[in-house]
Amino acid sequence: MTVTRTAQLSRKTGETDVALTLCLSGTGAGTRSTGVGFFDHMLDLLARHGKLDLEVSVTGDLQTGSHHTVEDTGIVLGQALDQALGDRKGIYRYGHAVVPMDEARAAAAIDISGRPYTRLEGFDKLPAGHINGFEYEVAEEFFRSVASAARLTLHLDLQAGTNAHHMIEACFKAFARALRQAVSIDPDENGVPSTKGTLTR
């Protein structure tokens, strides 16, 4: 499948109904409406710092918490990334970023490898709790879901912090900045950036 750099997907289950439109060559445009205000804010950051045009609309079983909404949004975003990247021709493939957010700091490294793997470190530093219904532990589920569905190798390290808002925000910004690098077009790469000639299998 050729690189389109755009995708439009929906996914409906007994728990959530997710509709998402993605453009990798964007400006951060779009609206994000999941019913979880803090999560919308994190998706806004992801779009802005990742230079993604991103429309997200989710209805979910929020009476049970935000877990299903956050996880399923991650799955659909990952599937959209996979579709938009197509055969991966011409991309940089790798990206990395270290982002400070006041007292917090997070580092992300991404390989658009075709091999889903996630290594998350430092998330045990997050205290128990939630921000207006966004349980802190679901941030981890979001990143795992995106990486798995997009077939990314993701290393994300929450290195420092005491304020949960800042800590989670640093993670989203680091992920966004690393992703922005990895999906960018490399003017010196005419084919698939792999000696085996494919990043899709």
Side-chain angles (χ1 to χ4, degrees), residues 76-87:
V76 178
L77 176 58
Q79 291 171 338
L81 284 167
D82 186 45
Q83 181 177 312
L85 286 163
D87 59 13

Side-chain angles (χ1 to χ4, degrees), residues 2-3 16 24 32 101 116 142 150 160 163 171 181 189:
T2 59
V3 177
T16 62
L24 299 180
R32 279 62 67 170
M101 177 67 187
F142 174 78
N163 180 297
C171 289
Q181 286 184 10
E189 178 60 72

Side-chain angles (χ1 to χ4, degrees), residues 90-121:
I91 62 169
Y92 273 103
R93 175 179 171 177
Y94 297 100
H96 61 90
V98 179
V99 172
M101 177 67 187
D102 295 345
E103 89 298 342
R105 184 180 66 250
I110 289 175
D111 176 10
I112 301 175
S113 61
R115 298 182 301 278
Y117 177 83
T118 308
R119 182 182 179 92
L120 302 178
E121 298 182 85

Side-chain angles (χ1 to χ4, degrees), residues 58-140:
V58 186
T59 55
D61 56 351
L62 295 179
Q63 71 277 5
T64 69
S66 66
H67 184 108
H68 296 147
T69 291
V70 174
E71 182 178 39
D72 289 2
T73 301
I75 290 170
V76 178
L77 176 58
Q79 291 171 338
L81 284 167
D82 186 45
Q83 181 177 312
L85 286 163
D87 59 13
R88 279 62 167 162
K89 282 184 180 176
I91 62 169
Y92 273 103
R93 175 179 171 177
Y94 297 100
H96 61 90
V98 179
V99 172
M101 177 67 187
D102 295 345
E103 89 298 342
R105 184 180 66 250
I110 289 175
D111 176 10
I112 301 175
S113 61
R115 298 182 301 278
Y117 177 83
T118 308
R119 182 182 179 92
L120 302 178
E121 298 182 85
F123 279 70
D124 56 341
K125 295 183 178 74
L126 282 168
H130 68 92
I131 300 172
N132 290 335
F134 181 96
E135 300 90 348
Y136 300 149
E137 67 267 19
V138 300
E140 182 173 346

Side-chain angles (χ1 to χ4, degrees), residues 30-49:
T31 57
R32 279 62 67 170
S33 178
T34 66
V36 183
F38 182 75
F39 187 40
D40 293 347
H41 178 42
M42 293 301 102
L43 293 174
D44 289 345
L45 296 172
L46 176 58
R48 176 66 179 84
H49 290 274

Side-chain angles (χ1 to χ4, degrees), residues 108-188:
I110 289 175
D111 176 10
I112 301 175
S113 61
R115 298 182 301 278
Y117 177 83
T118 308
R119 182 182 179 92
L120 302 178
E121 298 182 85
F123 279 70
D124 56 341
K125 295 183 178 74
L126 282 168
H130 68 92
I131 300 172
N132 290 335
F134 181 96
E135 300 90 348
Y136 300 149
E137 67 267 19
V138 300
E140 182 173 346
E141 298 306 318
F142 174 78
F143 293 117
R144 288 190 188 281
S145 296
V146 174
S148 178
R151 295 183 292 157
L152 307 176
T153 294
L154 169 65
H155 291 249
L156 183 57
D157 184 8
L158 177 51
Q159 298 176 333
T162 56
N163 180 297
H165 186 140
H166 295 167
M167 295 161 81
I168 295 169
E169 184 164 330
C171 289
F172 270 83
K173 285 179 175 177
F175 175 77
R177 289 276 170 169
L179 183 66
R180 176 176 169 179
Q181 286 184 10
V183 304
S184 292
I185 299 298
D186 181 352
D188 298 320

